[in-house]
Amino acid sequence: MERDLLRQSVSYHGENLMLLLKCEQSENPDFKRVAADLSKTPNQRDKEEGSPVLEQFIARKADLLFAPSWKTSTPADERQEESGEAHAVMPPLEQFMEVCFEERRELFYRDVERGDLVIGRINSVRDFGLFVTLLCTAGGLERNIEDLEIKALCPLRCVPSTGNHDDPLSYYQIGDLLRAGVKGIDRYHEKLTLSLYSSSLPPHLDKVKLGVISKEDLPLHYSRGEKVTADSSQTYEKLLESSLGLSNPLNVDYLLGKLGISDTQTPSLMRGLQSKHFKEDDFATAIRKKQSVSWALKCVKVGVGHFKSRRYVEAMNEYNKALEIDTNNVEALVARGALYATKGSLMKAIEDFELALENCPTHRNAKKYLCQTLVERGGQLEEEEKLVTAEGLYKRAILLDNTFQGAAEALAKLQLRIQKSLELKEQEAAKEQEKTKTVETSAEKLRKILKEEKRMKKKRKRSTSSSTSSDTSSTSSDDDSSTSRKKSKKRKHKRRRSSHGSKKHKRRASSCSDKMADDDIEWFPAPANTSASYIDQKQSISKLISEGEQSWEKSRCEDGRGRLDDAIDRSLENLKHGAQSETSRPGRPNVNGEVRDQHRTQSISECARNRRDSSSSTQSEYSQKSDRYSKEFSSQGRDRSESERDDGRKSSGGSLKKDIPSNLLDIFSQIAEFEKEKKLQK
Amino acid sequence: MSRQASASGSVNEARGRRSAQDVEDSKTHFRVCRFIIEAGVKLGMRSVPMATACVLYHRFFQSASLQVYEPYLVAMSAIYLAGKVEEQHLRTRDIINVCHRYFHPESEPMELDGKFWELRDSIVQCELLVLRQLNFQVSFEHPHKYVLHYLLSVRSLLNRHAWSRTPIAETALAVLKDSYHGSVCVRHKPQHLALTSLYLALQTYGVQLPRGELEWWQVVCADITKAQIETIMSELLQLYDMEAKCT
């Protein structure tokens, strides 16, 4: 029993209470210990206000009221009030009660503690600190102190320096509102020392901003208090009723939380309602759980009945019902698992059994069924040639129940089988390597031929391009003499760029083809059952694409939008030609190849188009191009300067010998050679 | 209960019978309210819905007769309805389970049979009856929010250490909770009830508050007198005596 509390109570009520206590609590051992001290306490109260009923009540319930465990609330740290009233914030009661000046002052100095927040107005700035007249309390205490005119000092060392001011005090002016923490109290001399450092505050308040504040930051209880002093008709009641926080439906929960009292376990002074009389089993949740289990079991029994009579659908319904009533009910899961296993959905059965075993690891049936199902599943997997997974399952089954014969036997059989299959595999692998070598040789032959083709083509290109460059250089010198300087310079720049670009292109082309060569080696060996014609097609298509890319790359270095379109045209042309030429080949695969080509051409053109947002049709481009070509061929000499601007056409423009661009020529030659090869093979 | 107007002795007798009946009734009410509060605790009800349930019960029997309606059924319906009104919805299955076990301790939970469904139907029907009897006015102001606000205000008057060692809040709330055993909760304003329970708690521990022009309770409730406080207090304390008689 709390001795101090009892003493306080007894001294308040007097002798009467003491007697009653002795009478009522005579059996209480805690009381006996305390009683000796109590009898010495003086009586502080006037007798006329004695309330026997109350005293009787106190005496009877003393064992509850003064028990140390009665106080359940924890002294919660006062958080700063959030915006939005969870409850009604009222001005200090002192104000309404009109407690006298002296008493308020006395009480303030008695109750103020270090770490409390106060707000005051600066009334003088000295060189050793600030003098502040307190306006109101802001945390820790809620008192009406404005008219008390309490003066406090904030010494210089407790004022943090603000920014660039050399003298921290120069930041503060008379009349500023200041929020500070109480650093030191001299209760006897009634002196207060303040500090503007957060370190003077307790940890839960260290987010509060100290220093100069504005009127809006004044605490709500103070501003409400001001309203009350201004308007004397505002009583406590009226203020409370009109405040928003009172109508908050959750204010009870909030305030109970603030005071630290649990809402579902509120204390009671009735004997029958003491918490020790409540059994855990009587609570709603506990009963519900037990009930769910029994209801679910009933459903399961009915379901098992159905299962035995082979009514599987009804049985499944009953099991699902049972699981709805009580999820993770062990019996229901085991029964459902058995049903799944019988129907053949072994994976679902395994899931159910595992869940059941999670909830109840000692369930015998679950273990048994799980073993059986695992073995069965293992058998299934064996047939599907997934031997390793099957092995894993058998091992699990053995782990679960090492007396299960079937599992051990199956595992032994399986392991033998694995060994055999491994041996077989090795043999096959050896055979395959031989095969692939032979297969490789034919494919490799083709590739070698293609490589040679490429090299030839490159050589031809180099020769042509070098000739064109030499031509252009010669023509450039001619032009210099004939035309103005500016133009020629421009042309020179462009030519230089173009020639430079062409060299780059050459390099790129060569690198591209080199890559192609590398790719040849890195390709996987062709599978045994594919025809060689497929390989032909693939390689030719890839070649064409690479060529298209080359021309495209060349044109990318050019200026002007139209050039790229031309490049697209060219690549399209190439591929189309390639596709068209390949149609000459007989047989079904060609059709497929063509389709594939076209798809590829379309995809490339689409990419290019998307990049440039060109919407003109291929046909129109092609026709335009052909016109241009014809123009070129007709006026080669005069238009050479123009044509020289187009790098991609340089090779074509420069080559007076050819009627068609060199790319196309190359392709035609390649195709001819493929056909020759094929004929040879066939 | 017929009245024999001729013989005064028999009038007195009748009155005696009536008052005896009243006493019996109030004992029944006490027991049923105890049932409500216990069930509320086991169902995890918060204090405000529990208060609503008790108030519904008391108000119902202010106008209805115990002879006609089964009080425990009304209580169960009151719990169910209060859960809906105060937004702490309770399932009828849980209410039935808890009540069944209250009357048959240590028994197995009820089976999902005809009896269960009948009981459930009864609760739902009775709920409608309670609503009609109360003219569908089922929203009440409870003293809880007032007592909590008053506690905060009073706390500001006290030294923080005194506050932290004196269980004023617990006692006040306990007294308030216990007040629902009787009809005192419906015969007084919630503010007055709140005030009285706080007053009682402060008196119990002999806490002395500063005095001004007005007493703290005069400030908090302008229209209450000391006598009224005393009356309510005595009614509250009587309930504790009744516990001894009823249980």
Side-chain angles (χ1 to χ4, degrees):
Chain A
M1 272 201 191
E2 295 286 338
R3 192 167 307 184
D4 295 323
L5 276 179
L6 254 181
R7 189 173 298 147
Q8 190 178 323
S9 182
V10 168
S11 61
Y12 183 77
H13 290 279
E15 271 302 310
N16 232 357
L17 180 59
M18 196 61 213
L19 288 167
L20 282 168
L21 273 172
K22 284 199 181 130
C23 167
E24 295 284 346
Q25 298 290 335
S26 48
E27 294 104 49
N28 191 340
D30 294 324
F31 177 70
K32 283 183 201 152
R33 270 181 248 139
V34 183
D37 300 331
L38 289 177
S39 43
K40 299 167 202 158
T41 55
N43 182 15
Q44 285 177 8
R45 208 180 106 165
D46 332 311
K47 271 291 184 185
E48 70 234 26
E49 279 180 36
S51 171
V53 186
L54 179 59
E55 286 162 13
Q56 179 77 280
F57 162 76
I58 297 171
R60 286 215 186 114
K61 304 287 182 183
D63 56 325
L64 291 169
L65 289 167
F66 298 98
S69 55
W70 184 243
K71 176 117 189 129
T72 53
S73 59
T74 45
D77 290 334
E78 251 192 66
R79 298 271 132 76
Q80 290 297 311
E81 287 294 320
E82 312 90 23
S83 61
E85 273 184 65
H87 71 282
V89 175
M90 301 297 292
L93 207 54
E94 276 188 331
Q95 189 171 348
F96 291 100
M97 284 165 65
E98 294 170 35
V99 180
C100 70
F101 183 94
E102 283 306 320
E103 187 148 359
R104 269 186 289 140
R105 195 184 171 86
E106 205 186 297
L107 288 173
F108 177 76
Y109 278 110
R110 181 193 76 179
D111 294 337
V112 73
E113 302 271 336
R114 277 155 136 238
D116 284 346
L117 281 167
V118 289
I119 294 177
R121 222 178 269 279
I122 302 177
N123 65 4
S124 74
V125 180
R126 304 283 181 81
D127 46 359
F128 53 84
L130 300 163
F131 274 107
V132 177
T133 312
L134 294 189
L135 202 59
C136 66
T137 55
L141 266 188
E142 253 181 52
R143 298 289 166 87
N144 181 22
I145 56 174
E146 185 173 5
D147 58 337
L148 296 178
E149 307 248 337
I150 295 170
K151 292 195 173 42
L153 172 67
C154 187
L156 184 59
R157 63 175 184 280
C158 296
V159 177
S161 54
T162 43
N164 307 335
H165 300 268
D166 303 305
D167 175 20
L169 289 176
S170 63
Y171 182 73
Y172 301 97
Q173 302 204 339
I174 296 180
D176 278 349
L177 282 173
L178 202 68
R179 175 157 51 204
V182 172
K183 191 171 169 215
I185 313 158
D186 183 349
R187 292 184 214 268
Y188 186 67
H189 291 112
E190 295 191 344
K191 281 196 171 26
L192 274 179
T193 319
L194 304 176
S195 164
L196 289 174
Y197 279 107
S198 304
S199 53
S200 62
L201 297 175
H204 66 267
L205 286 175
D206 59 4
K207 295 230 175 64
V208 178
K209 180 184 148 239
L210 293 178
V212 180
I213 57 169
S214 64
K215 268 203 145 170
E216 288 84 40
D217 298 328
L218 286 171
L220 200 52
H221 67 86
Y222 175 72
S223 31
R224 291 233 169 115
E226 279 199 301
K227 267 192 239 162
V228 169
T229 43
D231 176 14
S232 60
S233 68
Q234 276 279 47
T235 60
Y236 183 93
E237 270 185 279
K238 279 206 198 129
L239 196 57
L240 186 64
E241 295 290 337
S242 65
S243 111
L244 203 59
L246 194 71
S247 4
N248 177 14
L250 294 173
N251 57 8
V252 171
D253 299 320
Y254 177 78
L255 287 173
L256 281 172
K258 203 167 172 196
L259 288 167
I261 300 174
S262 144
D263 202 358
T264 46
Q265 311 254 8
T266 39
S268 167
L269 285 167
M270 291 280 187
R271 295 284 166 192
L273 288 176
Q274 298 305 307
S275 50
K276 62 187 179 214
H277 295 301
F278 288 93
K279 277 180 262 185
E280 199 51 54
D281 285 338
D282 287 343
F283 280 66
T285 39
I287 304 176
R288 171 179 270 262
K289 238 183 155 203
K290 260 179 33 180
Q291 199 181 44
S292 298
V293 172
S294 79
W295 287 0
L297 272 173
K298 262 179 47 182
C299 281
V300 172
K301 278 192 193 142
V302 174
V304 172
H306 285 308
F307 179 62
K308 288 189 180 151
S309 336
R310 295 175 163 270
R311 289 191 292 270
Y312 294 139
V313 181
E314 283 93 337
M316 183 57 85
N317 285 343
E318 290 293 330
Y319 296 149
N320 286 335
K321 210 166 71 170
L323 283 168
E324 260 180 47
I325 295 173
D326 179 21
T327 44
N328 297 344
N329 181 294
V330 182
E331 298 296 330
L333 283 171
V334 173
R336 198 170 74 164
L339 180 56
Y340 275 136
T342 325
K343 285 211 299 196
S345 339
L346 294 180
M347 287 316 294
K348 286 193 195 169
I350 291 172
E351 264 178 46
D352 274 348
F353 289 136
E354 286 187 342
L355 196 51
L357 277 176
E358 255 181 58
N359 290 341
C360 175
T362 57
H363 197 273
R364 213 184 39 180
N365 272 349
K367 264 195 200 171
K368 203 171 74 174
Y369 294 161
L370 182 56
C371 278
Q372 286 175 351
T373 321
L374 283 171
V375 172
E376 218 185 302
R377 179 81 188 134
Q380 275 185 1
L381 287 171
E382 268 196 63
E383 284 164 32
E384 290 172 26
E385 301 282 334
K386 293 184 189 152
L387 300 176
V388 185
T389 335
E391 194 182 353
L393 287 180
Y394 288 144
K395 284 191 177 152
R396 250 174 68 192
I398 289 176
L399 265 174
L400 274 171
D401 181 9
N402 43 16
T403 61
F404 192 53
Q405 289 294 339
E409 288 170 12
L411 182 61
K413 257 186 15 185
L414 176 63
Q415 280 172 338
L416 274 174
R417 212 181 135 185
I418 287 177
Q419 269 190 342
K420 279 190 203 159
S421 69
L422 274 173
E423 287 166 20
L424 264 174
K425 267 193 189 165
E426 281 170 30
Q427 290 174 10
E428 276 176 31
K431 277 188 208 161
E432 269 191 38
Q433 276 177 8
E434 292 172 23
K435 263 195 211 168
T436 47
K437 277 186 201 151
T438 52
V439 170
E440 266 185 47
T441 46
S442 60
E444 277 212 344
K445 270 189 205 163
L446 277 169
R447 263 177 235 131
K448 281 180 195 160
I449 293 163
L450 286 169
K451 267 189 233 167
E452 281 177 24
E453 292 298 320
K454 271 190 215 153
R455 268 183 241 135
M456 300 272 279
K457 191 187 75 180
K458 261 184 255 161
K459 278 184 199 160
R460 262 180 258 141
K461 261 197 193 164
R462 266 185 227 130
S463 58
T464 53
S465 53
S466 55
S467 65
T468 53
S469 57
S470 58
D471 285 345
T472 52
S473 51
S474 59
T475 48
S476 67
S477 55
D478 290 340
D479 283 343
D480 274 346
S481 55
S482 55
T483 54
S484 60
R485 282 230 140 189
K486 269 191 185 175
K487 276 189 194 168
S488 64
K489 264 192 180 167
K490 270 192 196 163
R491 272 179 233 134
K492 254 196 206 168
H493 281 304
K494 285 186 183 162
R495 256 177 266 133
R496 274 204 208 111
R497 221 189 302 155
S498 53
S499 56
H500 183 61
S502 73
K503 281 184 194 153
K504 269 195 195 162
H505 288 308
K506 274 185 236 157
R507 262 184 259 127
R508 257 189 237 154
S510 51
S511 62
C512 197
S513 55
D514 285 337
K515 275 188 207 157
M516 289 298 296
D518 291 341
D519 287 345
D520 292 347
I521 301 165
E522 285 168 9
W523 283 354
F524 284 104
N529 54 2
T530 54
S531 62
S533 57
Y534 171 74
I535 300 165
D536 289 344
Q537 284 180 32
K538 199 174 173 188
Q539 292 195 0
S540 62
I541 290 160
S542 51
K543 253 201 141 176
L544 290 170
I545 291 167
S546 67
E547 280 187 50
E549 281 176 4
Q550 285 170 29
S551 50
W552 192 14
E553 283 177 43
K554 280 183 202 165
S555 49
R556 258 162 58 180
C557 289
E558 297 166 359
D559 6 83
R561 245 190 74 176
R563 309 295 170 247
L564 190 55
D565 291 342
D566 294 339
I568 296 164
D569 298 338
R570 207 171 303 113
S571 46
L572 275 172
E573 242 189 78
N574 294 343
L575 295 166
K576 265 200 183 156
H577 275 285
Q580 284 166 17
S581 59
E582 286 196 352
T583 51
S584 59
R585 267 193 253 151
R588 264 195 154 228
N590 299 332
V591 176
N592 292 339
E594 194 189 299
V595 170
R596 232 177 284 131
D597 291 347
Q598 283 176 354
H599 280 306
R600 286 222 185 102
T601 61
Q602 280 170 18
S603 58
I604 290 170
S605 57
E606 274 171 29
C607 302
R609 265 186 218 147
N610 289 343
R611 282 180 115 199
R612 281 303 205 157
D613 297 322
S614 61
S615 53
S616 47
S617 65
T618 56
Q619 284 297 324
S620 56
E621 279 176 350
Y622 184 72
S623 56
Q624 281 171 28
K625 244 196 123 184
S626 55
D627 289 341
R628 277 188 221 139
Y629 279 137
S630 53
K631 265 196 215 160
E632 270 180 27
F633 299 140
S634 57
S635 55
Q636 274 168 9
R638 193 166 43 87
D639 296 341
R640 210 175 274 163
S641 50
E642 292 174 5
S643 66
E644 277 156 21
R645 275 182 225 141
D646 320 336
D647 217 7
R649 282 185 217 137
K650 206 189 353 171
S651 50
S652 54
S655 56
L656 301 159
K657 315 161 200 171
K658 296 174 193 169
D659 298 329
I660 37 179
S662 57
N663 304 10
L664 280 175
L665 258 181
D666 293 344
I667 291 161
F668 285 144
S669 57
Q670 282 167 24
I671 293 158
E673 280 169 3
F674 285 150
E675 289 184 349
K676 276 185 218 161
E677 271 288 323
K678 251 218 139 181
K679 281 176 194 163
L680 281 171
Q681 275 194 341
K682 284 189 179 161
Chain B
M1 289 183 281
S2 56
R3 242 181 168 223
Q4 288 165 6
S6 47
S8 61
S10 47
V11 165
N12 281 335
E13 207 183 275
R15 214 174 282 145
R17 239 184 290 139
R18 257 214 314 281
S19 66
Q21 186 67 37
D22 288 339
V23 169
E24 268 310 308
D25 283 352
S26 58
K27 277 191 189 170
T28 312
H29 288 314
F30 185 94
R31 288 195 195 100
V32 180
C33 287
R34 171 58 62 89
F35 160 75
I36 294 177
I37 296 178
E38 254 194 68
V41 171
K42 291 175 189 168
L43 288 162
M45 272 173 103
R46 295 195 305 266
S47 12
V48 171
M50 211 192 302
T52 307
C54 293
V55 170
L56 285 170
Y57 174 83
H58 285 298
R59 284 214 186 272
F60 181 86
F61 279 107
Q62 271 182 336
S63 45
S65 157
L66 266 175
Q67 264 57 30
V68 183
Y69 302 107
E70 163 58 47
Y72 285 99
L73 181 60
V74 173
M76 283 162 79
S77 302
I79 295 174
Y80 184 50
L81 182 56
K84 287 187 190 173
V85 168
E86 300 293 344
E87 301 294 338
Q88 187 183 13
H89 297 265
L90 301 162
R91 315 273 291 276
T92 39
R93 182 175 156 193
D94 289 326
I95 298 175
I96 292 173
N97 283 341
V98 164
C99 299
H100 177 79
R101 209 177 156 99
Y102 180 87
F103 292 111
H104 309 98
E106 307 294 332
S107 68
E108 286 303 310
M110 273 186 90
E111 290 296 317
L112 194 60
D113 55 5
K115 218 172 139 201
F116 180 87
W117 293 116
E118 278 174 24
L119 199 50
R120 192 175 178 280
D121 286 339
S122 312
I123 294 181
V124 173
Q125 292 296 323
C126 194
E127 183 198 8
L128 186 57
L129 175 69
V130 167
L131 278 168
R132 288 166 63 190
Q133 185 75 22
L134 298 177
N135 287 323
F136 290 83
Q137 283 165 352
V138 289
S139 177
F140 306 111
E141 284 262 305
H142 288 298
H144 297 80
K145 61 185 178 191
Y146 291 106
V147 85
L148 288 166
H149 281 96
Y150 299 164
L151 272 169
L152 282 182
S153 290
V154 164
R155 184 174 77 165
S156 71
L157 289 173
L158 288 171
N159 178 293
R160 74 196 75 196
H161 300 294
W163 174 266
S164 60
R165 67 166 180 260
T166 321
I168 300 173
E170 288 85 346
T171 311
L173 287 167
V175 167
L176 198 57
K177 180 174 170 178
D178 297 334
S179 71
Y180 283 97
H181 282 89
S183 57
V184 62
C185 51
V186 292
R187 284 188 277 112
H188 298 283
K189 279 173 72 177
Q191 289 94 325
H192 294 178
L193 283 168
L195 182 62
T196 313
S197 57
L198 184 53
Y199 184 88
L200 180 56
L202 288 167
Q203 286 267 305
T204 312
Y205 295 105
V207 176
Q208 286 180 318
L209 292 172
R211 295 185 70 145
E213 292 294 310
L214 301 165
E215 292 268 15
W216 69 271
W217 47 267
Q218 285 170 313
V219 164
V220 161
C221 259
D223 57 345
I224 203 166
T225 62
K226 192 86 184 275
Q228 273 177 303
I229 298 182
E230 300 275 332
T231 323
I232 302 176
M233 213 160 77
S234 60
E235 281 184 43
L236 287 173
L237 296 175
Q238 261 172 25
L239 288 172
Y240 292 100
D241 295 333
M242 212 185 226
E243 187 188 9
K245 291 183 215 157
C246 294
T247 53

